[in-house]
Amino acid sequence: MASLAGYAPRREPLIPNSSLRGDVLLRKGASWIVLDVAVVNASSPTHISHASLSTGGAAAHYALSKHTHYDTVCAAANWRLVPLVVGTFGAWTPEALPILREIANDMGARCGTTWHRRIPRAMRMLQLVLAQGTCRALHMCTPAARG
């Protein structure tokens, strides 16, 4: 999606002057945005207490931990961190939605999609990518894949 939006994404960039990597680095104009993508199992013992407090609570708590881990080194590199975190029940963190909307709109404008179809189309593409990633993760958990 980011390529279609004209953002020139780079996978797993090394953050300058650190040993940390983000998942995707986007360049939009003069801005650099590091995306850290995660799917959080809201039912896991680690996250269930946060999930029970609010819709998307597990994802929001996990995003906060990403900020704690990455914000200082990203700021030193003049990059902005945006955690793209979704819970297993489908709740996105509030800060993920504006960048997803921006990417969807820019992608749609470049592809000639009418404005009212841009976000639904982008979300369908994103759902497919997430489903593929989930299938890969589940496959790696099977004994045949590990052995």
Side-chain angles (χ1 to χ4, degrees):
M1 283 178 32
S3 295
L4 293 173
Y7 288 20
R10 283 194 266 162
R11 293 177 67 181
E12 297 186 7
L14 184 63
I15 299 170
N17 303 316
S18 78
S19 60
L20 299 176
R21 292 183 179 274
D23 291 324
V24 180
L25 177 64
L26 303 178
R27 181 173 185 172
K28 183 172 185 202
S31 299
W32 292 92
I33 302 165
V34 177
L35 303 179
D36 194 85
V37 183
V39 177
V40 176
N41 181 355
S43 300
S44 75
T46 308
H47 301 294
I48 198 161
S49 63
H50 301 288
S52 67
L53 296 175
S54 65
T55 301
H61 183 262
Y62 193 75
L64 182 62
S65 74
K66 292 293 185 177
H67 280 294
T68 302
H69 194 68
Y70 285 98
D71 276 352
T72 304
V73 294
C74 284
N78 204 25
W79 292 2
R80 180 171 61 106
L81 172 72
V82 178
L84 291 183
V85 184
V86 63
T88 50
F89 299 124
W92 288 90
T93 55
E95 69 182 311
L97 298 176
I99 191 72
L100 290 173
R101 188 177 300 113
E102 189 175 342
I103 292 169
N105 281 324
D106 290 344
M107 179 185 76
R110 288 176 54 108
C111 296
T113 306
T114 58
W115 69 270
H116 66 282
R117 294 188 180 181
R118 292 177 184 175
I119 293 175
R121 179 177 182 223
M123 293 308 281
R124 281 192 305 272
M125 291 174 67
L126 189 55
Q127 287 170 342
L128 181 60
V129 170
L130 287 170
Q132 290 170 336
T134 302
C135 288
R136 272 195 297 278
L138 289 173
H139 177 71
M140 293 310 295
C141 291
T142 61
R146 286 183 274 159

